[in-house]
Amino acid sequence: TMAELFEASRLTHFETKKYEYDKNCTFDASCSPRPRFCLALLLEGTATFRDCAGDGESVAIMPGDMILVPVGTRYVSHWEGTPRVTYITLHFLFDSPGIFTRKKNFKLQKYTPNDFEAMKRKFEFILENQSADETAQLCSLSLVFDILSTILPHLKSEPQKKLDSRITHAIEYIEQRYTENITVDALAAAANMSASRFYPAFREALGVTPVDYLNHYRVNRAMMLLVSDTEMSIENISMVVGFESSTYFRRVFKKITGKTPKEYRKISAEF
């Protein structure tokens, strides 16, 4: 239906950048989960990406290859110039329950387009027209969806654990009301369970407590705001995502990401 199409295509953040390096370099995001999806087309040089989760799989790309770094990925990338490195990256995020979201559990992976020159023209058009007039912006947006629809059938996902529907209801409650003061009792009620039964059931299903899951979700939203709205203060971000204290927000943020919000904002300006 049209309603389902709208829900699947709610693009909440998008920008594109071109990166050029005249020397070899390493980007370490092993302790900094990505706040958005990154889809890069390599034009010059080579790169190797090592996923820092799961089995630590490595992915190597050459000119003409594309690399998808899903939201939430922790990785280390090493770039080698021949003689330099050049690539264009699309940064994007869809709001839940969009197609490209954390729930899809996509792997860090490469895709090699059948027609490199045609793909390159699409990336370059998007790059050159993302700040142009409204007509050009609409054309750019249509190319973004065209690119994503091209790669989607070829993408691999990690297997997902089947959850009790009652736990799913609690997760949906968090995702819809994370800005509010959410209690374990409220989550238990959303799951139609007593608090004493809900708490251990949630922890067994997800490996974290309800409060930890809520904090992780809020921090994920904060990561997106840190890179998409660089003028927004850290204090305002902490309030917008539901933390009552910016001091507590900073403590939780560093525990989860390994970086302070300020440090994360700076490093996430890179790939």
Side-chain angles (χ1 to χ4, degrees):
T1 66
M2 288 302 297
E4 290 173 333
L5 177 62
F6 175 76
E7 290 294 316
S9 59
R10 292 196 320 198
L11 188 64
T12 59
H13 171 76
F14 176 78
E15 65 175 333
T16 181
K17 291 184 179 181
K18 186 174 185 178
Y19 299 85
E20 295 179 302
Y21 305 118
D22 292 325
K23 58 182 179 179
N24 298 347
C25 60
T26 298
F27 178 59
D28 188 348
S30 57
C31 295
S32 303
R34 297 295 81 199
R36 54 196 174 180
F37 281 86
C38 300
L39 180 64
L41 176 66
L42 185 60
L43 306 179
E44 297 179 277
T46 61
T48 302
F49 289 73
R50 179 174 60 83
D51 193 342
C52 295
D55 57 6
E57 181 180 356
S58 292
V59 178
I61 60 172
M62 301 174 60
D65 289 335
M66 298 164 66
I67 184 78
L68 175 72
V69 180
V71 61
T73 303
R74 295 182 297 107
Y75 70 97
V76 176
S77 60
H78 181 68
W79 305 79
E80 294 188 2
T82 53
R84 64 178 180 176
V85 172
T86 307
Y87 58 92
I88 301 173
T89 299
L90 309 181
H91 300 284
F92 62 93
L93 193 69
F94 286 81
D95 206 0
S96 180
I99 295 173
F100 281 84
T101 62
R102 186 184 300 270
K103 288 183 177 180
K104 295 298 183 179
N105 218 23
F106 289 122
K107 298 177 63 174
L108 187 154
Q109 56 196 288
K110 77 173 181 179
Y111 170 76
T112 303
N114 293 328
D115 189 335
F116 166 67
E117 290 299 329
M119 185 63 73
K120 179 182 176 182
R121 288 194 294 270
K122 292 177 183 179
F123 270 74
E124 289 178 337
F125 184 92
I126 296 168
L127 177 68
E128 294 167 2
N129 292 279
Q130 63 177 331
S131 300
D133 59 42
E134 292 178 342
T135 300
Q137 288 183 21
L138 280 175
C139 290
S140 296
L141 186 59
S142 70
L143 287 178
V144 171
F145 281 96
D146 178 67
I147 292 170
L148 295 182
S149 66
T150 298
I151 69 170
L152 181 60
H154 306 280
L155 296 181
K156 299 177 182 177
S157 298
E158 298 286 0
Q160 293 184 333
K161 183 178 179 181
K162 182 70 174 178
L163 295 177
D164 185 316
S165 60
R166 295 174 297 178
I167 301 300
T168 301
H169 290 325
I171 292 173
E172 291 172 349
Y173 187 96
I174 288 174
E175 294 179 352
Q176 294 169 3
R177 306 190 182 193
Y178 66 93
T179 61
E180 303 175 8
N181 181 23
I182 298 178
T183 65
V184 173
D185 286 342
L187 292 175
N192 197 26
M193 300 170 69
S194 67
S196 60
R197 290 186 59 196
F198 168 74
Y199 188 93
F202 189 98
R203 186 164 189 169
E204 181 179 355
L206 297 174
V208 295
T209 68
V211 173
D212 286 339
Y213 186 92
L214 172 60
N215 282 340
H216 271 78
Y217 191 81
R218 285 171 169 167
V219 165
N220 287 333
R221 304 299 292 195
M223 289 191 297
M224 190 65 252
L225 290 173
L226 284 166
V227 298
S228 64
D229 190 345
T230 56
E231 299 300 317
M232 193 173 187
S233 71
I234 291 171
E235 286 72 20
N236 282 345
I237 289 175
S238 69
M239 179 178 64
V240 166
V241 300
F243 285 96
E244 294 183 358
S245 162
S246 61
T247 300
Y248 179 59
F249 165 66
R250 285 182 170 88
R251 185 163 68 246
V252 171
F253 191 97
K254 186 166 186 179
K255 180 180 178 181
I256 291 174
T257 69
K259 300 283 189 300
T260 66
K262 184 177 181 180
E263 291 169 339
Y264 189 87
R265 172 175 268 168
K266 181 178 180 180
I267 194 173
S268 290
E270 304 177 52
F271 183 88

